[in-house]
Amino acid sequence: MCVVRSAAAILAAETRNTDLRKISDTITRLAALRAGPGFQSNGQGHDRLSDLGDFGSNPGALRARIYVPDDLPEAAPLVVVLHGCTQTGAGYDDGSGWSQLADQEGFALLFPEQQRANNPNLCFNWFVPSDTKRNGGEALSIRQMIEAVVVEYGLDRGRILITGLSAGGAMTSVMLACYPEVFAGGAIIAGLPYGSAKTIPEAFDRMRGHGAPSERQLQKALRDASPHKGPWPSISVWHGSTDQTVASCNADAIIAQWRAIHGLDARPTRSETVDGHRRHVWCNAKGQELIEEYRIAGMGHGTPLDTAGDAALGAVGPFMLNVGISSTRHIARFWGVAKPCVERDAKVKPARANNESLAASFARAFSTPKVGVPNVPHSEKRANTPPSQKPDSAAGLRKVIEEALRSAGLMH
């Protein structure tokens, strides 16, 4: 109880302070409070990721990191993973076990990574309007990374998925709203709905569950974020029932926002118990699972893990919580990129993205460098990449990508 009261006191003090601290700073102190004296804000295990080099104008000044299994099959899926505040791509991978699962199931991973120059505590800026609109800021940087890695490794455009925790979960909401044609599915862990905040004070309020826009306003924000007309991505929502950092009512708001876009009833199609936790599912008329929700009883703020047994994935740490269920594995099964373990999963038909042509503004931004923002040097590609697909330089990689865009009628 003293931890909960202390966390609440920190948040209250922040909102009273006329010189309001950045939201990321508060989250860092909450993390230290909960994790104890041994907390390391950017500590991580073994770094399995490589750098993706030149991927476009990068208006959000983000870093791009990737993991590609050596035996990656042709036209493999791509999973985009967005870390939370105080985390790095490698640290979140080590905790969540995504690269372990990629080795087992044969898909590529992209980890967009925040930089301290953008946010001192490495939070994606999910509440900054210039970073959360289609073809601008951090959202466009992530979109450019996706295009670059899909072209470079010949990945399946119909199976691009995205997930994230906390600020990364809120940024996942941004990407699904701004580029719904790109993604077959998304998974939001302890996140917030798109369009819920546009300022730091609003972000604090929404995290506490106060003053949220109405369902109708959130639904309009989602529809207005892009010119897309559907079909829309499937959505997986995970939240701890005792989360004191991001109130669990945000999960309800996310579900309501996406139920409307899918035209689904308020009541779930069915409810069941999975690994001891309740799962609610909303299906369309064809029986296709479009929305799922896991509300983890007694869990605080973080990514749900199962680190025991033969199916164990990830490692416990700050915001990485061993509660007997692997969100990583179950999200991948929901998307259809991991083997099912029960008959119910075998019957699920995963959605595929309905990619539309890129907007002209994206094509221009992709080929226009941002002044003063160098791209991260590219490490050597993995052995499974055919020599004919290995550009000799950043300029070569850009040529390959631009040629692919032109051949698809997406760039002139």
Side-chain angles (χ1 to χ4, degrees), residues 84-363:
C85 295
T86 76
Q87 297 175 324
T88 64
Y92 191 78
D93 176 52
D94 185 63
S96 62
W98 272 109
S99 64
Q100 291 176 258
L101 192 61
D103 286 336
Q104 297 170 18
E105 303 291 350
F107 54 81
L109 291 166
L110 167 64
F111 289 81
E113 189 172 275
Q114 185 58 281
Q115 303 297 285
R116 292 197 185 278
N118 299 330
N119 189 295
N121 286 285
L122 304 179
C123 303
F124 290 101
N125 290 309
W126 60 272
F127 50 88
V128 176
S130 61
D131 284 312
T132 58
K133 64 182 181 179
R134 186 177 173 97
N135 298 331
E138 292 179 8
L140 178 55
S141 288
I142 295 169
R143 178 65 187 94
Q144 291 174 336
M145 294 176 198
I146 292 169
E147 187 64 24
V149 75
V150 165
V151 170
E152 185 172 353
Y153 291 97
L155 305 177
D156 184 352
R157 291 184 181 276
R159 292 188 294 168
I160 301 174
L161 301 314
I162 186 167
T163 183
L165 166 68
S166 192
M171 201 68 188
T172 296
S173 290
V174 170
M175 295 305 297
L176 291 166
C178 294
Y179 300 100
E181 77 282 1
V182 171
F183 301 103
I188 301 163
I189 305 173
L192 298 98
Y194 177 73
S196 57
K198 295 181 180 179
T199 66
I200 290 175
E202 285 183 358
F204 275 117
D205 280 344
R206 306 306 177 260
M207 289 170 64
R208 294 196 303 269
H210 298 160
S214 68
E215 286 188 15
R216 185 174 298 232
Q217 289 172 319
L218 289 176
Q219 291 159 10
K220 184 178 187 302
L222 179 56
R223 292 186 183 279
D224 291 348
S226 80
H228 186 60
K229 301 302 180 184
W232 297 83
S234 60
I235 304 295
S236 179
V237 179
W238 295 70
H239 218 112
S241 67
T242 60
D243 191 330
Q244 298 294 324
T245 302
V246 178
S248 63
C249 62
N250 284 286
D252 298 323
I254 294 167
I255 292 166
Q257 189 175 48
W258 283 92
R259 271 197 302 98
I261 209 78
H262 282 297
L264 301 173
D265 293 336
R267 291 188 62 180
T269 307
R270 70 174 184 272
S271 299
E272 57 201 13
T273 300
V274 178
D275 292 349
H277 298 276
R278 293 299 288 170
R279 177 182 188 251
H280 302 293
V281 187
W282 287 260
C283 300
N284 62 13
K286 297 179 180 179
Q288 185 180 46
E289 295 183 356
L290 297 182
I291 300 176
E292 69 170 3
E293 178 202 17
Y294 286 87
R295 194 70 59 95
I296 308 301
M299 190 184 81
H301 188 66
T303 294
L305 305 178
D306 183 1
T307 60
D310 295 337
L313 281 178
V316 174
F319 307 125
M320 313 304 293
L321 308 177
N322 185 17
V323 292
I325 185 169
S326 171
S327 56
T328 299
R329 194 177 296 278
H330 282 289
I331 288 167
R333 286 173 177 155
F334 178 66
W335 289 337
V337 299
K339 298 180 186 68
C341 66
V342 295
E343 185 178 354
R344 173 189 58 79
D345 291 331
K347 294 179 180 178
V348 174
K349 295 181 179 180
R352 291 178 64 86
N354 181 22
N355 293 296
E356 65 180 11
S357 296
L358 299 177
S361 57
F362 169 73

Side-chain angles (χ1 to χ4, degrees), residues 33-93:
L33 178 69
R34 290 189 173 87
F39 172 71
Q40 297 292 324
S41 65
N42 61 350
Q44 62 188 43
H46 178 58
D47 186 348
R48 306 188 75 197
L49 310 184
S50 301
D51 289 315
L52 179 69
D54 186 6
F55 55 83
S57 59
N58 192 14
L62 301 178
R63 186 184 186 189
R65 311 212 67 207
I66 60 174
Y67 182 79
V68 181
D70 289 334
D71 56 350
L72 186 73
E74 293 185 8
L78 172 65
V79 176
V80 183
V81 183
L82 301 176
H83 62 79
C85 295
T86 76
Q87 297 175 324
T88 64
Y92 191 78
D93 176 52

